[in-house]
Amino acid sequence: MKNKIIGLFGASLLAAGIFAGYGKVEAAEADAVKISASDANVNWFQVVDEIQGFSKELGLDVEWVENLGSGPEIIAAIAGGSVDVGKIGDFPIVTNYGGGETPVFEVLSFFTRNTDSVVFVKADSEIESIEDLKGKKIGTQIGTGSQYQLVNTLDKAGLTLEDVELFNVDSGSWAAAFASDEIDAVCILEDVTIGNEEIGDIRVLDRCDLALNSIIGNTEWAAANPEATAKTIILLSECIDYASANVEDTISAVAEVYPEISAERLSFSINAVTNTALSGDWDTAINRYTELKDFALDAGTIQNDFDVESVYDPQFVELANTLK
């Protein structure tokens, strides 16, 4: 079957005033670092920082940017100057560096998650196995780690994207498409499926057991502001450490800002993080980016090879560990 990529919906509108009434960030100074960091559109980093005052202790002026959705959207914001530092998945790093244009960002640090994308169907679906996905309509977000996971899942059954009907969905459109049976299966970040009443009961066919969350920064901004860049890495790491050690308190605080998100989902997102952003274990990152790059080249997702070690700059983690 010829591969068919269909955009079901446009990017969803962001909820207006989501932080209203809860530590709303006032107009920041011109030299404030603009950060976009969220897990499945839940910015618990900001909530933790506003409660614990990590950025103030660091002397770091921060402007938290509202949720931007996917990695490609955050990269576009960094290119446009509305974000200085962002947290994204691993696959958009590869698609951007292999896309033929000179990247405007570099990886400053990273941390790992013990889960990422998941492939699932409705609990009562006739689809019982990966093999049964042949010829079915599957939704995923093109250019993200979910697309990579879907390809890996299909490969386990000797299938490729040519064997399915592929629909391009985003974080605001997939649930409605799945619930209304416009698509038969979905591959998307597992966090958003937890406690999601709109989609009903689901059955997981396959899941990713390791992924990187990359902390990226505008290359020119980071070079001009090395100390602020290092302190931003410390800030995000301290938020991770606090949330991991105080899951229940973090859930309670975040629930005040996001009352529509279940405690089960918040707990899942926080517990998925498996290390801090200060480890400096670049071999893990290099191996992961290399694996993704080789896949993308073979699949034709990118046309240009690149040196994986050009993606990151270790000096900022080294400086962060000096300042901490």
Side-chain angles (χ1 to χ4, degrees), residues 7-13 73 168-173:
L8 287 174
F9 304 94
S12 62
L13 295 176
E73 290 171 300
N168 188 19
V169 296
D170 62 22
S171 58
S173 65

Side-chain angles (χ1 to χ4, degrees), residues 2 23 43 66 127 147 150 152 156 182 189 205 207 215 222 229 240 245 250 259 279-280 292 314:
K2 184 178 180 181
N43 192 349
E66 64 182 351
I127 300 172
Q147 180 189 5
L150 176 59
N152 276 345
K156 293 177 181 180
E182 291 184 65
L189 191 67
L205 299 179
R207 59 165 43 89
I215 299 173
T229 301
I240 292 169
T250 302
S279 67
L292 293 173

Side-chain angles (χ1 to χ4, degrees), residues 129-191:
S129 66
I130 297 172
E131 288 82 358
D132 294 336
L133 291 173
K134 185 173 184 178
K136 301 301 183 182
K137 299 174 182 178
I138 306 178
T140 195
Q141 189 162 13
I142 305 301
T144 68
S146 295
Q147 180 189 5
Y148 172 66
Q149 175 61 29
L150 176 59
V151 171
N152 276 345
T153 294
L154 293 173
D155 184 64
K156 293 177 181 180
L159 302 176
T160 70
L161 292 179
E162 297 294 324
D163 296 308
V164 302
E165 194 170 356
L166 189 63
F167 285 69
N168 188 19
V169 296
D170 62 22
S171 58
S173 65
W174 72 270
F178 182 70
S180 63
D181 294 321
E182 291 184 65
I183 49 180
D184 304 305
V186 179
C187 181
I188 205 158
L189 191 67
E190 186 166 10
D191 305 52

Side-chain angles (χ1 to χ4, degrees), residues 44 236-246 275-278 324:
W44 57 264
L236 296 177
S237 182
E238 288 182 334
C239 289
I240 292 169
D241 289 344
Y242 175 85
S244 298
N246 303 275
N275 73 343
T276 74
L278 291 171
K324 187 172 172 60

Side-chain angles (χ1 to χ4, degrees), residues 206-271:
D206 196 24
R207 59 165 43 89
C208 173
D209 58 6
L210 173 67
L212 300 185
N213 270 188
S214 304
I215 299 173
I216 65 173
N218 181 287
T219 304
E220 292 185 0
W221 181 89
N225 300 276
E227 185 168 320
T229 301
K231 287 183 176 181
T232 301
I233 295 172
I234 296 173
L235 167 62
L236 296 177
S237 182
E238 288 182 334
C239 289
I240 292 169
D241 289 344
Y242 175 85
S244 298
N246 303 275
V247 175
E248 294 304 319
D249 289 344
T250 302
I251 290 173
S252 296
V254 176
E256 293 186 33
V257 184
Y258 300 92
E260 74 281 9
I261 305 297
S262 70
E264 181 184 11
R265 173 177 158 185
L266 293 175
S267 177
F268 181 90
S269 295
I270 293 167
N271 285 315

Side-chain angles (χ1 to χ4, degrees), residues 295-316:
F295 155 77
L297 285 169
D298 290 342
T301 307
I302 62 174
Q303 305 300 321
N304 300 283
D305 198 355
F306 61 92
D307 180 6
V308 170
E309 296 199 14
S310 69
V311 166
Y312 71 95
D313 189 339
Q315 68 166 311
F316 300 109

